[in-house]
Amino acid sequence: MGFKEAVRTCLRDKYATFSGRASRSEFWWFMLFGVLITAVFSVALVLLAGFGNIVAIGPDAVFTGGVAVIGIAFLVVSAALIVPFIAVFVRRFHDTNLSGWWYLACIIGGFVPLIGLLATLAPYVVGLIKGTPGDNKFGPDPLIEQNTADVFA
């Protein structure tokens, strides 16, 4: 699966689908999409506000209207993308034959001192693990082409 296909699958076909499985390529291409979106908004904020105004905190901070628009747009896009990101994490856990509830455990564990870093990194480590070959309890292998077309249609 390539970049465009992974983004299309996660945003259009499986926007809020928490069942089934996601291959490593689908997962990592969609993570790259998230990094690129964040980078685009970050660069836009830096270019509009200038380096000095971004690090200024408090009453000395001077923000232009463009910064506010970009900031609000970033919040709206982030809110729209949170569901497909959680869904692809859950489907990735399913591909390794783990329950998607482990992702919630990792999020909660991220708030616990001392184990927070490990719990935060765990979903990405699961993203590196090869999926279960063949069918598992969460569905068919996403790497095997499924012939669903009717032969006599």
Side-chain angles (χ1 to χ4, degrees):
M1 176 175 292
F3 179 79
K4 287 174 62 172
E5 186 179 358
V7 172
R8 184 181 69 245
T9 298
C10 290
L11 291 181
R12 189 182 68 194
D13 301 338
K14 297 181 180 180
Y15 182 85
T17 303
F18 296 93
S19 61
R21 297 166 63 177
S23 65
R24 282 186 290 182
S25 60
E26 177 184 347
F27 175 78
W28 285 111
W29 282 123
F30 196 61
M31 291 299 118
L32 177 63
F33 172 73
V35 168
L36 292 175
I37 291 293
T38 304
V40 165
F41 278 105
S42 298
V43 168
L45 283 172
V46 168
L47 292 176
L48 281 175
F51 291 103
N53 292 335
I54 286 184
V55 295
I57 297 174
D60 296 335
V62 178
F63 295 107
T64 62
V67 172
V69 170
I70 296 294
I72 291 170
F74 181 62
L75 288 175
V76 169
V77 169
S78 297
L81 290 178
I82 192 74
V83 172
F85 271 102
I86 293 171
V88 77
F89 269 110
V90 169
R91 290 196 314 271
R92 184 69 203 128
F93 270 77
H94 288 173
D95 193 40
T96 59
N97 212 19
L98 294 169
S99 172
W101 290 106
W102 281 106
Y103 180 60
L104 178 62
C106 291
I107 291 173
I108 293 170
F111 293 106
V112 177
L114 300 178
I115 65 165
L117 178 63
L118 294 176
T120 303
L121 294 176
Y124 298 100
V125 172
V126 170
L128 295 171
I129 297 172
K130 185 177 182 183
T132 307
D135 296 351
N136 68 15
K137 63 183 177 182
F138 298 104
D141 192 342
L143 298 177
I144 297 175
E145 275 300 314
Q146 303 293 327
N147 292 330
T148 58
D150 189 4
V151 177
F152 300 106

